[in-house]
Amino acid sequence: MQSVNVPEERRAWEGGKKPVWKSMYRHRWLYLLMFPGLLYYLIYHYVPMAGLVIAFKDYNLMDGIWGSPWVGLDNFREVFSSPDFPQLLRNTFIISIYRILFNMVPDVMLALILNEIRVMWFKKLVQTITYGPYFLSWIIVYGLVFSFFAPGNGLISVFFRDMGWGDIDVLTQSAAFRPMLVITDIWKNTGYGAIIYLAAIASINQELYEAAVVDGAGRWRQLWHITLPGIREVFVLLLILRIGHILDAGFDQVYIFLNARVYDVGDILDTWIFRRGIEQMEFSIPATVGVFKSVIGFILVIAANKIAKKVGGSGVW
């Protein structure tokens, strides 16, 4: 029997020795396209991590990062012993959990509804209308809310007063602050979230639906047995990512809507460190809270990923 000449590269691959440099050279143009993205993360995400040392120093602008005196864990002791810290942590967790519980389901529901619309022009119209608010800044959103609910001269406030139903005070009521955050966040971001699930639905094998039709399954059966299982992994992935950011309760939105009368339910870690860091020029305290949030987020991501794998999901890795 004659021996077959197998290319050296193929023998190396089959033998478990992957020709890394040859593979990289072969795909050099793909690596070149990936380089700007890697450079961005290196410059703006990894290099600034050296500034975390501020959390362990009494940072002074004049002395700089390396010239400021080292204080060890004193900044952490100051943060954790602050009388405001338990309330801040509680508000942050509650608002973040509200966002997870009430904001992910509308994204899925809107995607499922849009997927069932068969009139394309109407589907595109609805998708455009729901996606539009995502491009509005929170300042504009607050301006719209203020024009409707401003005490005394808001459109809905005036309507309630003219109808004899009394005055309503939504913007400065502690009981209405968190629901208002959730409702405005749903209105602003649901359209964008639905696009992710629509992409996941589009990736489902259409032969599964054809087979279901042959077996006599209606639209509800197809939805329950094909569509929902098809987007389950995307839902779990987004849930894990949101859990990792559970201490980021949405600074921009909360800061815009926050006022002195709702501090007890609306003041979160990010707004507190903004006042300490920007208004009072205490930069070590925000850095300390940032380290604390990163550690907690990392632990939560690891835990959520393990739980997702145990219940049958794929997790992040």
Side-chain angles (χ1 to χ4, degrees), residues 112 115-116 201 204 209 222-232:
L112 296 176
N115 186 60
E116 296 299 322
I201 294 174
I204 299 175
Y209 293 101
Q222 296 177 37
L223 174 67
W224 184 258
H225 293 287
I226 300 176
T227 306
L228 290 180
I231 65 176
R232 181 184 60 184

Side-chain angles (χ1 to χ4, degrees), residues 200-248:
I201 294 174
S203 65
I204 299 175
N205 190 349
Q206 295 300 312
E207 294 180 358
L208 297 176
Y209 293 101
E210 296 173 1
V213 172
V214 172
D215 292 339
R219 299 302 302 176
W220 285 107
R221 287 290 183 181
Q222 296 177 37
L223 174 67
W224 184 258
H225 293 287
I226 300 176
T227 306
L228 290 180
I231 65 176
R232 181 184 60 184
E233 293 187 359
V234 176
F235 183 86
V236 171
L237 174 63
L238 295 178
L239 178 61
I240 293 174
L241 295 177
R242 288 204 178 199
I243 290 176
H245 290 276
I246 198 168
L247 291 181
D248 297 325

Side-chain angles (χ1 to χ4, degrees), residues 34-48:
M34 188 173 60
F35 179 75
L38 295 176
L39 189 63
Y40 165 78
Y41 279 97
L42 177 65
I43 296 176
Y44 293 102
H45 291 268
Y46 286 96
V47 173

Side-chain angles (χ1 to χ4, degrees), residues 101-304:
L101 292 179
F102 298 108
N103 290 17
M104 293 192 68
V105 175
D107 297 349
V108 177
M109 293 180 62
L110 179 60
L112 296 176
I113 292 173
L114 291 174
N115 186 60
E116 296 299 322
I117 298 178
R118 295 293 176 261
V119 183
M120 293 306 300
W121 68 266
F122 183 71
K123 177 179 180 179
K124 292 180 179 179
L125 177 63
V126 174
Q127 190 170 356
T128 302
I129 293 175
T130 56
Y131 187 47
Y134 176 76
F135 296 99
L136 300 178
S137 68
W138 280 114
I139 296 178
I140 296 177
V141 175
Y142 178 76
L144 294 174
V145 174
F146 187 83
S147 64
F148 280 99
F149 295 102
N153 58 359
L155 181 63
I156 296 180
S157 301
V158 172
F159 175 76
F160 268 66
R161 186 175 62 248
D162 293 344
M163 295 296 294
W165 297 339
D167 295 329
I168 59 173
D169 191 4
V170 176
L171 298 178
T172 58
Q173 285 290 331
S174 297
F177 182 76
R178 290 170 182 166
M180 181 175 58
L181 292 181
V182 173
I183 292 173
T184 53
D185 190 57
I186 291 175
W187 177 76
K188 185 176 186 297
N189 295 319
T190 296
Y192 175 78
I195 291 180
I196 300 176
Y197 292 106
L198 283 173
I201 294 174
S203 65
I204 299 175
N205 190 349
Q206 295 300 312
E207 294 180 358
L208 297 176
Y209 293 101
E210 296 173 1
V213 172
V214 172
D215 292 339
R219 299 302 302 176
W220 285 107
R221 287 290 183 181
Q222 296 177 37
L223 174 67
W224 184 258
H225 293 287
I226 300 176
T227 306
L228 290 180
I231 65 176
R232 181 184 60 184
E233 293 187 359
V234 176
F235 183 86
V236 171
L237 174 63
L238 295 178
L239 178 61
I240 293 174
L241 295 177
R242 288 204 178 199
I243 290 176
H245 290 276
I246 198 168
L247 291 181
D248 297 325
F251 165 76
D252 45 358
Q253 181 193 17
V254 175
Y255 183 76
I256 294 299
F257 281 83
L258 191 64
N259 58 77
R261 298 186 63 179
V262 295
Y263 267 26
D264 56 331
V265 297
D267 199 16
I268 60 176
L269 287 172
D270 287 345
T271 55
W272 182 69
I273 64 177
F274 178 82
R275 294 194 300 271
R276 295 289 296 268
I278 302 300
E279 297 178 2
Q280 301 179 22
M281 304 293 286
E282 299 179 12
F283 298 104
S284 296
I285 299 300
T288 302
V289 177
V291 172
F292 168 74
K293 290 170 55 179
S294 299
V295 172
I296 297 299
F298 177 75
I299 295 173
L300 290 176
V301 167
I302 297 295

